[in-house]
Amino acid sequence: MFGQSLQIVDDCGLTHLHVFPYSPRPGTPAARMPQLAKAVIKERAARLRARGEVALLAHLAAETGRRRAVLVEKPGLGRTEQFTLTEIAGGAPGEIVEATITGHTGRALVARLAAAPGAGAHSCPEAGTEAA
């Protein structure tokens, strides 16, 4: 089953993994299953995290040179439509801006505002309000 977990990272292109060792809870069916040695659990968690790091770096590298819509969450930081964290100068929180991905930090994309005609910012209306 662990091998299948590693394979699914590759098959599905998963780039953001949250990995933590399982702790059996008394009274649950999983607590009655055979348990692995703590050293095996730690080693497998490390392998899965490493696989996720490789996938993330490949994703970030593949984005370089692409043009993406970025939702600015706060000054200097936003997310692409693929939910990839992006460092970007410009745009106000709540705006969706067109950006060109210029590189990455190993954790986030680095982007600059696109300068092509028709590129502009779009405001995201506040929840519960209608756009004008």
Side-chain angles (χ1 to χ4, degrees):
M1 286 190 283
F2 176 70
Q4 291 175 343
S5 294
L6 287 174
Q7 189 62 48
I8 203 166
V9 173
D10 296 335
D11 292 349
C12 295
L14 301 178
T15 57
H16 298 84
L17 305 182
H18 181 77
V19 179
F20 57 94
Y22 165 77
S23 300
R25 290 190 175 162
T28 64
R32 294 190 300 269
M33 295 177 180
Q35 303 299 308
L36 296 173
K38 291 205 182 289
V40 172
I41 293 169
K42 286 182 79 171
E43 184 266 338
R44 287 183 176 183
R47 284 176 59 197
L48 192 53
R49 283 186 196 102
R51 183 71 58 100
E53 288 294 318
V54 168
L56 176 59
L57 289 173
H59 167 68
L60 295 173
E63 288 294 296
T64 300
R66 293 188 176 201
R67 192 170 168 142
R68 295 286 184 211
V70 176
L71 170 62
V72 179
E73 294 180 334
K74 60 184 181 181
L77 203 59
R79 293 196 184 265
T80 67
E81 60 267 40
Q82 292 84 20
F83 200 66
T84 305
L85 190 62
T86 305
E87 295 179 4
I88 185 167
E95 286 184 322
I96 298 173
V97 297
E98 290 295 319
T100 300
I101 308 303
T102 59
H104 67 85
T105 66
R107 289 274 173 227
L109 295 171
V110 177
R112 63 176 164 71
L113 293 177
H122 309 283
S123 291
C124 290
E126 294 293 323
T129 63
E130 292 183 11

